[in-house]
C-alpha cells in the first residue's frame, strides 16, 4: 500500500484531540497529508497539540460527544471518511470516585458517535480505543483477544461496554470498526501528573522523591505513544483493505510487563537519579496484574513497534526536560 496516497486529503475525524494519543496521532496524520478534523471539548493550553502549533494546521470544532446533533453535523459537513475515537475519561481513581461521569463520557459518548456515523452512512472506517482494563481480573496471563471480558471496576466496565456497543454497531448496522486494546501508554505531552511516567519524570526534574500511590507491586504493560499512534493508523488501513476484520479487537504491547516500582526505577536510572520513591500504598479497586499478548496484531496486521521501551522513555524524558526549561 502507498501509505501517503491512502491518507492524502482523506477527511479524518479524531475525538480526544488534546490527549497524549490524540496529539501523537494528529501529528502522524498531518505528515501523511490527511485532512484532519479534531473535536475539542476543552481548551488545554499546554497540550502538545497546542504547544507544538499543530492546532493551526488542522481543522478544529468545539463541542461535546454528549451532543448527538453536533456529531451528526460535524460528520456530515466535513464529509468524514475515517474516524479515530479516542475521547474518554481515562483515570481509574476518577472513575472510582465519580463513576457516573465516566459512564457518560465513555459509554454514552461512544454510542452517540457511532450512531451519528450510522445515520450518515458514508463513514468507511472507525478505530475505537478500548483498554487492557476491559478484560478485568484473571489468573490467566497474558491477555489474548479470545478471552471473555470480565470487568468489575467502573473504568474497566466503561471500556468493555464501549466495546460491546462498537461490536453491535459493526455486526448489526454494518459499520466497519476495529477495537484497540493497549496498556499504559506514555510519551510526549502527557500532562496528567498522577500517571506514573510523567509524574516520576517531573519529580526527578524538580529534585523531589517520586510518589507511588500503590504498593509498587502492580504489574502493567507500558508502551510508547508513537508506537500506539502507528498501530491505530495501521488498523484503519488494514480495515479498508480487509473489511472482514470489522468487529475485531487487537492488543498492542511490547510484551514486557513491569511492576510500578520497576518502571519508576528504570526512569530513575535513565535520568541518573539517586532519589528513592515514596510508596504510599493508597490505591484501591485496581487489578493486581495486567499484560497483553500482541501475537494477533503481529500475525494479522503485520504490526511491529518502532521503538523499545527504553528508547521511548528516553525520548519522553528529553521532551519533559525541554518542556520544563521552557516553562
Amino acid at each position: 500500500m502507498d501509505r501517503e496516497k491512502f491518507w492524502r486529503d482523506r477527511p479524518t475525524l479524531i475525538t480526544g484531540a488534546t490527549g497524549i494519543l490524540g496529539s501523537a496521532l494528529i501529528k502522524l496524520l498531518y505528515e501523511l497529508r490527511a485532512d484532519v478534523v479534531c473535536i475539542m471539548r476543552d481548551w488545554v493550553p499546554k497540550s502538545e497539540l497546542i504547544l507544538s502549533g499543530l492546532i493551526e494546521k488542522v481543522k478544529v470544532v468545539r463541542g461535546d460527544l454528549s451532543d448527538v446533533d453536533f456529531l451528526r453535523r460535524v460528520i456530515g459537513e466535513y464529509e468524514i471518511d475515517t474516524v479515530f475515537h479516542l475521547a474518554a475519561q481515562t483515570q481509574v481513581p476518577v472513575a472510582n470516585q465519580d463513576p457516573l461521569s465516566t459512564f457518560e463520557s465513555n459509554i454514552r459518548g461512544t454510542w452517540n458517535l457511532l450512531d451519528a456515523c450510522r445515520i450518515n452512512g458514508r463513514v468507511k472506517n472507525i478505530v475505537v480505543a478500548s483498554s487492557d482494563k476491559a478484560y478485568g481480573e484473571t489468573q490467566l496471563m497474558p491477555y489474548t483477544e479470545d478471552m471473555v471480558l470480565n470487568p468489575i471496576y467502573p473504568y474497566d466496565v466503561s471500556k468493555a461496554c464501549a466495546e460491546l456497543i462498537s461490536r453491535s454497531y459493526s455486526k448489526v448496522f454494518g459499520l466497519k470498526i476495529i477495537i484497540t486494546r493497549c496498556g499504559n501508554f506514555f510519551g510526549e505531552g502527557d500532562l496528567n501528573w498522577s500517571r506514573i511516567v510523567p509524574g516520576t519524570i517531573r519529580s526527578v526534574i524538580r529534585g523531589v522523591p517520586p510518589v507511588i500511590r500503590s504498593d509498587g507491586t502492580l504489574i502493567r504493560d507500558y508502551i510508547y505513544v508513537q508506537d500506539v499512534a502507528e498501530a491505530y493508523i495501521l488498523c484503519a488501513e488494514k480495515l479498508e483493505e480487509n473489511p472482514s476484520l470489522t468487529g475485531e479487537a487487537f492488543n498492542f504491547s511490547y510484551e514486557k510487563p513491569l511492576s510500578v516500582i520497576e518502571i519508576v526505577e528504570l526512569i530513575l536510572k535513565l535520568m541518573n537519579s539517586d532519589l528513592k520513591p515514596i510508596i504510599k500504598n493508597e490505591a484501591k479497586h485496581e487489578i493486581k496484574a495486567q499484560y497483553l499478548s500482541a501475537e494477533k496484531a503481529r500475525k494479522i496486521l503485520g504490526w511491529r513497534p518502532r521503538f523499545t521501551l527504553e528508547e521511548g522513555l528516553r525520548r519522553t524524558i528529553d521532551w519533559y526536560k525541554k518542556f520544563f526549561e521552557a516553562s
Side-chain angles (χ1 to χ4, degrees), residues 3-24:
R3 172 166 275 190
E4 187 168 310
K5 184 178 180 181
F6 178 90
W7 288 105
R8 186 190 295 268
D9 301 324
R10 180 176 288 248
T12 304
L13 180 68
I14 298 179
T15 71
T18 57
I20 171 180
L21 178 55
S23 298

Side-chain angles (χ1 to χ4, degrees), residues 43-326:
W43 182 262
V44 186
K46 290 189 176 182
S47 69
E48 179 66 359
L49 179 66
I50 296 171
L51 280 180
S52 66
L54 193 59
I55 194 170
E56 305 294 336
K57 301 173 183 178
V58 298
K59 297 171 182 174
V60 177
V61 288
R62 300 293 298 274
D64 195 287
L65 297 188
S66 64
D67 188 340
V68 179
D69 291 334
F70 162 75
L71 293 171
R72 291 175 183 173
R73 178 185 71 78
V74 171
I75 292 169
E77 289 186 6
Y78 290 93
E79 299 180 314
I80 297 300
D81 174 285
T82 298
V83 174
F84 292 96
H85 178 38
L86 315 179
Q89 193 300 103
T90 62
Q91 297 306 300
V92 171
V94 173
N96 289 335
Q97 293 168 5
D98 186 6
L100 183 58
S101 67
T102 299
F103 293 154
E104 286 281 347
S105 296
N106 300 2
I107 304 174
R108 184 181 178 187
T110 298
W111 82 54
N112 281 349
L113 178 65
L114 294 183
D115 205 59
C117 292
R118 176 188 67 84
I119 290 170
N120 177 270
R122 291 183 296 180
V123 176
K124 292 181 180 178
N125 307 299
I126 305 169
V127 179
V128 173
S130 183
S131 167
D132 59 350
K133 302 289 190 297
Y135 285 107
E137 193 158 13
T138 176
Q139 299 302 313
L140 299 175
M141 290 286 162
Y143 293 133
T144 57
E145 292 86 346
D146 58 356
M147 287 182 172
V148 174
L149 304 183
N150 187 35
I152 296 174
Y153 304 125
Y155 175 75
D156 312 0
V157 168
S158 76
K159 300 308 284 187
C161 286
E163 284 203 28
L164 292 172
I165 291 165
S166 299
R167 184 171 174 80
S168 176
Y169 271 86
S170 172
K171 298 301 183 182
V172 178
F173 302 110
L175 294 186
K176 289 168 58 183
I177 300 172
I178 274 183
I179 297 162
T180 63
R181 298 172 183 155
C182 299
N184 296 7
F185 45 78
F186 64 89
E188 302 85 349
D190 187 359
L191 303 181
N192 192 324
W193 306 114
S194 65
R195 291 195 180 114
I196 196 67
V197 173
T200 300
I201 294 171
R202 182 178 71 168
S203 293
V204 174
I205 290 172
R206 291 183 171 176
V208 298
V211 173
I212 296 175
R213 60 184 176 83
S214 69
D215 64 1
T217 65
L218 300 181
I219 296 174
R220 296 289 185 264
D221 252 321
Y222 296 91
I223 184 169
Y224 183 41
V225 71
Q226 300 297 332
D227 276 324
V228 179
E230 289 275 4
Y232 278 52
I233 288 175
L234 180 64
C235 283
E237 293 168 350
K238 293 296 184 181
L239 185 56
E240 180 142 319
E241 281 183 356
N242 184 4
S244 68
L245 293 176
T246 189
E248 292 288 326
F250 290 91
N251 295 337
F252 296 97
S253 167
Y254 289 152
E255 299 177 301
K256 294 183 177 180
L258 295 173
S259 68
V260 174
I261 191 66
E262 285 175 328
I263 191 75
V264 170
E265 288 175 345
L266 179 55
I267 293 169
L268 292 171
K269 177 182 176 182
L270 293 174
M271 297 184 73
N272 298 313
S273 173
D274 57 4
L275 290 168
K276 302 299 181 184
I278 296 171
I279 300 176
K280 289 197 167 183
N281 195 18
E282 294 176 344
K284 297 179 180 179
H285 306 309
E286 293 202 30
I287 297 170
K288 294 293 184 182
Q290 295 184 289
Y291 50 96
L292 300 157
S293 166
E295 182 178 1
K296 181 180 176 182
R298 287 196 303 271
K299 287 184 175 180
I300 296 178
L301 304 179
W303 177 75
R304 296 290 186 280
R306 289 177 53 201
F307 302 93
T308 65
L309 175 66
E310 289 79 6
E311 288 169 343
L313 284 171
R314 287 192 183 95
R315 289 167 64 95
T316 302
I317 291 165
D318 288 343
W319 185 91
Y320 282 104
K321 286 179 178 178
K322 294 175 183 175
F323 173 79
F324 283 108
E325 286 173 3

